[in-house]
Amino acid sequence: MAADKAQLSVDVSKSGPKIDRNIFGQFAEHLGHGIYEGVWVGPDSDIPNTRGIRNDVVAALRELKVPNVRWPGGCFADEYHWRKGIGPADKRAATLNPNWGGVIEPNTFGTDEFMDFIHQIGSQAYLSVNVGTGSPQEAAEWLEYLTAAQPTALAKERAANGHPAPYEIGFLGIGNESWACGGNMTPDYYLDQLKIYSRFVRNFNPAQQQGEHQMLKIAVGPGDAGTEWTETIMRAYKHRQWSWDINGLSLHSYTVVKWPPAYASVGFGIDEYSRILKSTLDMESLIGKQSAVMDKYDPEKKVALVVDEWGAWYAPLPGTNPGFLSQQNSLRDAILAALNLNIFARHADRVRMANIAQMVNVLQAMILTDKEKMVLTPTYHVFRMYVPFQDATFVPVSFDAGTYTHGDITLPRIDAIAAKDKSGKLWLEVTNIDPERPVDIEAYLTGMDIRSAAGEMLTAPKVDSVNTFDAPNAVAPKPVAVKYQGSKLMVTVAPKSVTVISVGQ
Ligand code: AHR
């Protein structure tokens, strides 16, 4: 089909906020095969592992430069008691996971295993502490176990478990969805809890007492467009006393269209493609609405909006335990991921952290595993293509997106962002949502004399194309031809594609 044309104007002389690398964070919950089998196989497994953690998964995640991992939940976090997950493996008590299929939780992957995993993939820990069924004391002792440098009984216990040096904990989430699975709390009740946890759950690591290594505390925030919760927390934040503080407010938003999740993750057509992408674009107004409330009480934007659960939530795959939230991951999900990452980047002054749900085998995963087999999903490839945007400086792009219409649904035809990295290289991302027509892009890079340009594009024959264990590279990025002349750059982006281009001057 003949290509459409679109002009982009990239003002390289202007720069916006830093696109915080933490927006590329991930979420790994004790849910289905997210941890057990997906990350943890145990040291005695035939699957190649390092101290029980899968080598193939670690190697794949290292490529993504995952900035932070949220753990152990989710709803699981508010029923998690950390002491059951430390010490000799054969002494750990099996418990239940009532949220997710009612299966046995063996507790063989606990605090020290998680920190080992974080270390192996080169990431930062984002711990969710138990507010629902735990206590401030339990959470405070967990942090003492993890971070105390002095020889307290808990620090000695950590040393006996193999880690004498204090761990570094980057982020602390105080509860999870406390308005629902985290205890059905009212905003005021949660606020009282938040103040107590914020005061007493301390990080004792001497290297984290001040400066950029300080642990950031994240409060539970809203899960929809209602603003009462945000108002309550942010109003209190504005009038806070010295004895409590927060650095982030969480926001959860899944692309689901209707509840319970009914859209199939594979075997769908243009209609479902269009409806899901239309729905995912609501992230823009949701962030806008919650940010406006935050701006009222925190105009200096000290508190980050942390979108620590986002992604597509589809119907469980037939034949799987519905509590395991197993779904396939298609080209549609790659486009959905790019659209959301672009929204976060455009709100980089307020959205400084986000965590896709989830990392392995659950919901919109990066990686799927089956025993010894592993496959990288289309979403994985998008995260890999976006690595150069981590901590890069946002550069404004203006364009007429055009429209794509399917039945009663109208979507923007294209989307784009740009950023400059520390070496001065410009990175341009273009998403073509239109599943039928290519688009000839002409980008004018004001203030830049282009000396080199190269790009890669992710697309596939169908909107529901997926990678499987038998055909793992059906959806994989390939080099794309990019032309340039002076400050003009030209590229044709295929229908339903994600393209990232690097430009040198
Ligand atoms: O990611 C799955 C679940 O979705 C999380 O446990 C919960 O926080 C949310 O409702």
Side-chain angles (χ1 to χ4, degrees):
M1 204 175 261
D4 259 29
K5 287 191 191 318
Q7 289 190 349
L8 311 183
S9 171
V10 186
D11 195 345
V12 189
S13 61
K14 289 211 184 94
S15 52
K18 181 177 84 170
I19 300 172
D20 200 308
R21 68 179 189 281
N22 284 304
I23 70 163
F24 300 93
Q26 303 199 14
F27 173 34
E29 181 166 14
H30 286 235
L31 193 175
H33 297 306
I35 297 291
Y36 298 107
E37 296 189 25
V39 170
W40 177 257
V41 288
D44 301 329
S45 171
D46 290 339
I47 298 171
N49 68 84
T50 301
R51 296 179 293 279
I53 296 164
R54 292 180 76 123
N55 293 345
D56 53 356
V57 168
V58 167
L61 291 172
R62 285 187 72 85
E63 294 292 308
L64 299 187
K65 300 197 188 312
V66 181
N68 69 83
V69 183
R70 181 170 181 255
W71 177 84
C75 299
F76 180 83
D78 278 303
E79 294 185 72
Y80 184 60
H81 300 285
W82 68 273
R83 289 210 69 97
K84 297 192 193 300
I86 58 164
D90 59 346
K91 299 275 185 312
R92 299 207 190 163
T95 54
L96 287 172
N97 189 339
N99 282 292
W100 304 119
V103 295
I104 290 277
E105 164 56 57
N107 284 303
T108 43
F109 186 90
T111 300
D112 293 291
E113 291 76 19
F114 173 66
M115 294 309 297
D116 189 9
F117 173 56
I118 286 297
H119 174 73
Q120 289 190 34
I121 66 169
S123 191
Q124 283 265 307
Y126 173 13
L127 293 184
S128 280
V129 297
N130 181 344
V131 174
T133 65
S135 67
Q137 183 179 356
E138 183 186 13
E141 287 178 357
W142 195 14
L143 266 286
E144 185 188 326
Y145 173 84
L146 283 154
T147 63
Q150 289 167 289
T152 68
L154 284 165
K156 285 184 184 167
E157 204 174 343
R158 182 190 68 233
N161 290 335
H163 206 276
Y167 290 113
E168 188 166 318
I169 304 300
F171 309 93
L172 186 84
I174 301 176
N176 171 73
E177 298 191 355
S178 303
W179 28 265
C181 72
N184 293 301
M185 299 173 193
T186 62
D188 287 325
Y189 183 85
Y190 172 73
L191 177 63
D192 288 344
Q193 302 297 309
L194 172 67
K195 290 177 182 171
I196 297 168
Y197 276 75
S198 167
R199 168 88 183 110
F200 296 118
V201 185
R202 294 182 166 103
N203 184 316
F204 295 102
N205 187 328
Q208 291 198 266
Q209 295 314 300
Q210 53 198 3
E212 57 170 326
H213 290 284
Q214 250 180 318
M215 181 177 79
L216 304 183
K217 297 179 183 178
I218 296 157
V220 167
D224 58 27
T227 53
E228 188 195 353
W229 192 281
T230 308
E231 284 275 350
T232 304
I233 308 296
M234 292 306 295
R235 194 185 309 117
Y237 169 81
K238 181 175 177 182
H239 301 292
R240 75 194 179 285
Q241 293 171 344
W242 65 270
S243 52
W244 73 279
D245 201 2
I246 54 169
N247 314 94
L249 181 75
S250 138
L251 169 68
H252 287 185
S253 176
Y254 287 96
T255 302
V256 60
V257 182
K258 57 180 170 185
W259 197 263
Y263 277 61
S265 58
V266 68
F268 55 85
I270 301 290
D271 197 55
E272 294 93 326
Y273 168 83
S274 306
R275 280 182 204 286
I276 286 288
L277 294 186
K278 177 91 185 158
S279 168
T280 214
L281 289 170
D282 290 346
M283 182 66 88
E284 172 65 39
S285 57
L286 185 58
I287 289 176
K289 204 162 179 191
Q290 300 299 348
S291 295
V293 178
M294 295 177 82
D295 287 349
K296 219 166 47 169
Y297 299 107
D298 172 33
E300 292 174 338
K301 302 186 192 293
K302 287 190 173 154
V303 179
L305 186 59
V306 176
V307 191
D308 54 10
E309 286 190 31
W310 70 273
W313 191 328
Y314 302 124
L317 285 174
T320 62
N321 183 332
F324 283 10
L325 312 187
S326 306
Q327 60 190 45
Q328 243 297 5
N329 193 295
S330 67
L331 179 64
R332 176 179 64 185
D333 296 301
I335 291 171
L336 183 152
L339 293 174
N340 280 279
L341 292 171
N342 291 1
I343 292 170
F344 301 155
R346 282 192 280 266
H347 287 274
D349 55 349
R350 181 67 83 180
V351 178
R352 299 195 288 271
M353 186 158 163
N355 299 75
I356 190 165
Q358 297 195 6
M359 193 176 228
V360 189
N361 290 332
V362 176
L363 298 177
Q364 190 175 343
M366 305 288 126
I367 292 173
L368 302 176
T369 67
D370 181 14
K371 303 193 181 63
E372 77 291 351
K373 290 183 263 182
M374 178 189 87
V375 68
L376 307 178
T377 67
T379 300
Y380 174 95
H381 292 304
V382 168
F383 271 67
R384 215 270 301 130
M385 291 164 77
Y386 271 70
V387 166
F389 288 92
Q390 293 197 11
D391 282 347
T393 304
F394 184 83
V395 173
V397 187
S398 43
F399 55 96
D400 177 353
T403 52
Y404 164 72
T405 301
H406 174 81
D408 58 342
I409 303 165
T410 298
L411 293 160
R413 171 162 278 138
I414 59 161
D415 190 30
I417 58 160
K420 222 185 286 171
D421 71 15
K422 289 195 182 93
S423 74
K425 210 178 241 182
L426 184 87
W427 294 87
L428 175 67
E429 189 283 334
V430 182
T431 305
N432 183 6
I433 295 177
D434 191 322
E436 281 137 19
R437 295 164 74 113
V439 181
D440 287 336
I441 301 288
E442 274 184 10
Y444 293 89
L445 277 46
T446 323
M448 190 165 180
D449 192 16
I450 306 172
R451 293 279 156 85
S452 64
E456 52 180 348
M457 188 162 74
L458 183 75
T459 188
K462 297 191 297 165
V463 287
D464 70 334
S465 292
V466 296
N467 290 334
T468 62
F469 299 111
D470 296 330
N473 296 314
V475 191
K478 294 195 178 62
V480 61
V482 185
K483 292 187 191 141
Y484 56 91
Q485 190 179 42
S487 59
K488 186 166 109 177
L489 184 135
M490 292 147 286
V491 62
T492 299
V493 290
K496 49 180 166 31
S497 65
V498 176
T499 302
V500 173
I501 298 166
S502 68
V503 191
Q505 57 181 336

